[in-house]
């Protein structure tokens, strides 16, 4: 319990926020832990899957961190075409891991992949790229997840005070030494946060291992959980035991991150004069080329493959049998009964989720970082719990709880909003706390000393300063909520169906070319909303 | 002569079960009072909506859209059972392709007894009398792409799959998650003995997450053949154009049935009765299986879809000992893990 000593609005906020977070997070967590008891050692019967999961998590994290970090450095000011590249490198977030994986499956299956057909024609059958393999699972996952470290690290770079670099240079340090002793340590919080986020995300990732890993005989914890849950009776204790294993791993990672960051200050925005933005003048062309290669691999090629699949009668190794057709598009747009209802639901839910999570996340991070009560650490940890749970298992917890809650929300869109808000709360907390962390408390203290009330200080000082980050967080959350599958598939009804579920249902049960076509609809819907929001922001002169 | 033919026609019409059973007016009145029907269904795609539309045309006073839920079998079962556990059942009727689950749920008292007059038309092993009957039946058989595997090399029997040229990731099967794969394994073990599956596993087939993915992989030639694929996937227009061919092995064809029944504690039990009578009738079966899905009906008086062999001409395999079937299904995940991972 949090007992701040100071003024009333802060106390009310702290109590309210703690209450909301506890109500959202604890019941599904406890439901899962109870269910997991009794099968705690089930995963130990499959040491190979544990090893696979660890390897997959670490290798994907390393690759994605490398790609994302390189992109963040490559896209510092000065690189030609920076404006467009900055938007293109985050495209995989819209594309979703499922569609990226399906795209690469069509691009680089050993016998019939588009790239392999070209390679075989040019070099002969020895030249084969095989995405349906261990390496394929890791690299495609890294391509799909790289925008996350890119966003975190480039955000940190944006708030970078070049005075620090000048200080290094003035004192005679060589550029290498400046990079090693000043730039890298200052990027440590963002880098570590990225690594932990990536690790947690990749060990919780289902779609890429399912599409490219299962046929290659590469099984990880999420594909095991999927199988256990689709069995009858669903082997919930075993599935949850895997979930608890992932939860433990993620919790350890989060604790390690906290321990590493504890004794340092990373404040770069203070009340004193500062000029944000690091610059690199060197290797402009090489940096642009690097970014374009990423765009090609992570977005352009998979999109081409998806479009190819969506506009062919069917995908087969024999091009003579394939015909151009708009049938799949016309099917998903006009025949498939779920598309339009799902698109509407997805957009509304995505927007509401992003608003709720931004507000709640901001409140949590403010209480944790600026509040004075004890128990702030507990609130911080509690708000991170949904991140450490594999989405599929967390979804089961949600189902059990909300089926039993005596409120008229089960079977409505409201239950999906609650599920999403819980699921994405950690992202809201992390992004807003990163913004608050870089804001020296002296700015707020100055306002309070000058007689401004707490509310006025928030409205006039804190919120305007972190507004760009919050808007970026809103967009990220909107896009992620548009893609949420795991809890939606257990909780939706015919009226509250969302696009991601429609896509996933088709993937599991339907025509794969239809999936590609519906994927385009999903992509278009989220892209449209984000473009409108960014346009409004620009018109209001806040860009 | 003509008179006798006419008489025969009239008699046939009068005796045809699909046409003979008019719904009880008292049930219709009660259903009208209930006003809605909630169906949980595992049949893929938009075709089931067309079936629901046909039912709605018969009983326009029922709201069949609000409570409708569709998903793969495992998810339908998880959702329905979670609601029953929480004593908040919103569904009336369930259609789900996992016989073991139906046996188990019937034993637990989760299925409502309802003596639909249509049950009489169903063979013994395709129903549990008074509780549920098979609304759909799917042959789970080898399917190959004739542009990849020359028909001369194609298998004709299950034992042909043990030939060396199918070894080493050339065949695909479904993940253990699908009840379909258990049914296949169980029925083939009975028909061919346990050593068949051992030898088949030694061929190292590729395990696919879903039947839809397997169809894609066969079409593209990533595998030579799917060893356990739902037969109807080989009879869609796209599959026919792409050159997919279904093999009905000589030793017998494992049938996956998709039972339908009323859930105990259904909120709209009378609407549910009307639905069961319709879906199991000759008319309903013809629409659902022959026209919409290209699946088999277990009713002998329903013809197969165009281009498909009648069920009477394939040696169909169905489980006969429900207790044994249920027991084996519970061991299956571990069994599958040992053989195929």
């Amino acid at each position: 319990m949090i007992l701040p000593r100071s003024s009333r609005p802060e106390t009310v906020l702290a109590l309210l926020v703690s209450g909301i977070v506890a109500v959202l997070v604890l019941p599904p967590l406890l439901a899962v832990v109870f269910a997991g008891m009794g099968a705690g050692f089930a995963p130990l019967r499959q040491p190979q899957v544990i090893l696979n999961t660890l390897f997959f998590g670490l290798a994907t994290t390393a690759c994605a961190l490398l790609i994302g970090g390189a992109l963040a450095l490559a896209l510092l000011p000065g690189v030609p075409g920076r404006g467009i590249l900055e938007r293109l490198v985050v495209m995989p977030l819209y594309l979703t891991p499922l569609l990226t994986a399906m795209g690469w499956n069509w691009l680089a299956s050993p016998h019939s992949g588009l790239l392999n057909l070209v390679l075989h024609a040019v070099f002969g059958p020895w030249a084969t790229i095989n995405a349906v393999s261990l390496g394929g699972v890791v690299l495609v996952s890294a391509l799909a997840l790289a925008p996350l470290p890119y966003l975190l690290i480039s955000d940190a770079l944006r708030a970078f005070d070049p005075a620090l670099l000048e200080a290094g240079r003035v004192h005679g340090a060589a550029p290498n030494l400046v990079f090693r002793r000043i730039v890298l340590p200052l990027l440590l919080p963002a880098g570590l946060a990225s690594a932990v986020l990536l690790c947690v995300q990749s060990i919780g990732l289902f779609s890429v291992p399912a599409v490219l890993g299962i046929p290659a005989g590469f099984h990880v914890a999420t594909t095991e959980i999927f199988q256990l849950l689709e069995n009858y009776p669903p082997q919930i204790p075993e599935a949850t035991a895997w979930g608890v294993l992932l939860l433990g791993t993620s919790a350890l990672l989060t604790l390690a991150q906290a321990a590493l960051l504890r004794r340092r200050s990373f404040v770069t925005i203070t009340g004193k004069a500062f000029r944000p933005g690091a610059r690199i003048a060197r290797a402009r062309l090489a940096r642009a080329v690097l970014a374009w290669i990423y765009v090609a691999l992570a977005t352009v090629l998979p999109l081409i493959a998806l479009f190819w699949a969506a506009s062919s009668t069917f995908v087969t190794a024999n091009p003579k049998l394939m015909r151009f057709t708009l049938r799949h598009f016309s099917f998903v747009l006009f025949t498939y009964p779920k598309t339009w209802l799902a698109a509407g639901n997805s957009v509304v839910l995505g927007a509401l989720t992003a608003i709720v999570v931004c507000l709640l996340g901001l409140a949590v991070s403010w209480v944790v970082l600026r509040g004075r009560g004890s128990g702030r650490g507990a609130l911080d940890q509690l708000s991170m719990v949904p991140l450490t749970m594999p989405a599929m298992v967390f979804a089961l917890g949600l189902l059990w709880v909300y089926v039993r809650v005596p409120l008229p929300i089960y079977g409505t869109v409201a239950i999906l909003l609650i599920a999403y808000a819980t699921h994405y709360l950690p992202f809201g907390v992390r992004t807003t706390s990163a913004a608050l962390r870089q804001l020296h408390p002296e700015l707020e203290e100055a306002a309070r000393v000058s007689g401004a009330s707490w509310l006025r200080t928030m409205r006039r000082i804190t919120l305007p300063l972190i507004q760009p980050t919050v808007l970026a967080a809103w967009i990220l959350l909107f896009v992620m909520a548009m893609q949420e599958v795991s809890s939606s598939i257990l909780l939706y009804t015919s009226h509250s169906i969302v696009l991601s579920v429609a896509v996933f249902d088709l993937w599991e049960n339907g025509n794969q070319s239809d999936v590609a076509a519906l994927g385009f609809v999903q992509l278009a819907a989220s892209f449209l909303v984000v473009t409108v929001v960014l346009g409004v922001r620009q018109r209001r002169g806040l860009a | 002569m003509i008179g006798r033919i006419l008489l025969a026609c009239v008699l046939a019409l009068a005796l045809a079960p699909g046409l003979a059973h008019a719904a009880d007016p008292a049930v219709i009145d009660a259903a009208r009072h209930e006003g809605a029907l909630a169906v949980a269904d595992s049949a893929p795609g938009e075709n089931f909506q067309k079936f629901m539309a046909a039912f709605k045309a018969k009983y326009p006073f029922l709201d069949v859209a609000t409570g409708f839920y569709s998903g793969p079998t495992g998810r339908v079962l998880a959702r329905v059972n979670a609601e029953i556990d929480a004593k908040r059942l919103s569904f009336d009727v369930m259609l789900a392709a996992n016989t073991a689950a139906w046996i188990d749920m019937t034993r637990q008292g989760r299925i409502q007894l309802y003596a639909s007059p249509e049950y009489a038309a169903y063979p013994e092993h395709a129903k549990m009398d008074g509780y549920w009957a098979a609304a759909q039946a799917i042959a789970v058989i080898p399917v190959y792409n004739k542009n990849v595997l020359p028909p001369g090399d194609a298998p004709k029997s299950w034992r042909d799959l043990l030939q060396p040229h199918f070894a080493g990731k050339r065949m695909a099967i479904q993940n253990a998650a699908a009840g379909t794969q258990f049914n296949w394994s169980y029925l083939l073990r009975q028909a061919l003995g346990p050593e068949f599956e051992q030898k088949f596993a030694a061929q190292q087939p590729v395990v696919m997450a879903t039947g839809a993915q397997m169809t894609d992989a066969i079409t593209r030639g990533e595998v030579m053949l799917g060893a356990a694929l739902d037969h109807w996937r080989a009879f869609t227009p796209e599959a026919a154009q792409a050159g997919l061919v279904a093999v009905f092995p000589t030793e017998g064809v494992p049938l996956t049935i998709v039972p339908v029944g009323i859930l105990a504690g259904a909120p709209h039990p009378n609407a549910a009765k009307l639905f069961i009578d319709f879906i199991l009738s000759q008319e309903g079966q013809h629409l659902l299986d022959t026209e919409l899905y290209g699946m088999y009906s277990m009713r002998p008086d329903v013809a197969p879809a165009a281009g498909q062999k009648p069920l009477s001409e394939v040696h169909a395999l169905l489980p006969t000992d429900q207790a044994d079937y249920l027991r084996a299904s519970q061991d299956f995940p571990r069994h599958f893990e040992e053989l195929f991972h």
Side-chain angles (χ1 to χ4, degrees), chain A residues 46 109-112 214-215 219 227 232 314-317 321 327 403 405 410 489 492 494 504-505 508-510, chain B residues 44 65 68-70 72 75 79 83 86 88 101 104-105 147 175 177 206-207 212 219-220 222 233 238 242 337 341:
Chain A
Q46 284 157 282
S109 294
H111 298 287
S112 62
I214 292 180
H219 298 260
Q227 185 169 316
Y232 179 86
F314 43 81
V315 182
T316 169
L321 291 171
R327 202 161 41 106
V403 150
V405 170
Y410 180 66
I489 54 181
Y492 79 95
S494 62
F504 193 79
D505 270 0
E508 273 201 284
N509 247 337
Chain B
F68 185 79
Y69 176 83
S70 84
R75 217 184 293 150
R79 169 107 182 227
E83 289 195 2
R88 269 188 94 166
D104 193 35
M105 286 177 69
N147 298 302
N175 217 358
V206 176
V207 179
T219 310
R220 292 187 297 131
E222 286 300 328
R233 291 189 186 274
E238 294 94 350
E337 193 85 38
H341 274 197

Side-chain angles (χ1 to χ4, degrees), chain A residues 45-46 49 105-106 109-113 210-211 214-217 219 223-224 226-227 229-235 238 313-318 321 327-328 331 335-338 396 399-400 402-411 489-495 501 504-512, chain B residues 42-46 49-50 65-75 77-79 81-83 85-86 88 90-91 98 100-102 104-105 108 145 147 169 175-178 206-213 216 219-223 232-233 238-239 241-243 326 329-330 333-334 336-337 340-341:
Chain A
R45 283 199 301 268
Q46 284 157 282
V49 178
N105 188 27
W106 281 318
S109 294
H111 298 287
S112 62
V211 174
I214 292 180
H219 298 260
T223 55
E224 264 336 281
F226 175 74
Q227 185 169 316
L229 292 181
E230 297 251 313
N231 279 335
Y232 179 86
Q235 286 162 292
E238 287 83 357
T313 38
F314 43 81
V315 182
T316 169
N318 184 351
L321 291 171
R327 202 161 41 106
H328 301 297
F331 170 74
T335 314
Y336 194 52
K338 299 172 180 175
L396 265 185
L399 177 65
W400 290 337
Y402 289 112
V403 150
R404 285 168 174 78
V405 170
L407 293 172
I409 51 167
Y410 180 66
I489 54 181
L490 286 173
L491 298 172
Y492 79 95
T493 59
S494 62
H495 280 284
V501 169
F504 193 79
D505 270 0
L506 270 182
W507 174 75
E508 273 201 284
N509 247 337
N511 178 308
Q512 302 295 290
Chain B
S42 76
E46 87 286 9
Q49 295 293 340
K50 295 184 189 154
T66 304
F68 185 79
Y69 176 83
S70 84
T73 304
R75 217 184 293 150
L77 289 166
R79 169 107 182 227
N81 281 298
E83 289 195 2
D85 289 340
R88 269 188 94 166
S90 70
F91 297 110
N98 187 328
W102 279 94
D104 193 35
M105 286 177 69
Q108 292 177 31
N145 183 342
N147 298 302
K169 303 203 175 286
N175 217 358
V206 176
V207 179
M208 294 276 178
T210 68
Q213 272 203 307
D216 179 55
T219 310
R220 292 187 297 131
E222 286 300 328
V223 291
W232 61 272
R233 291 189 186 274
E238 294 94 350
Q241 282 170 38
L326 183 59
S329 79
Q330 283 151 359
R334 205 160 295 159
F336 185 85
E337 193 85 38
F340 294 106
H341 274 197

Side-chain angles (χ1 to χ4, degrees), chain B residues 22 76 108 153 171 180 221 224 233 252 259 286 309 333:
Chain B
V76 167
Q108 292 177 31
D153 295 346
M171 297 187 287
T180 299
M224 250 181 205
R233 291 189 186 274
H286 178 79
K309 284 185 187 188

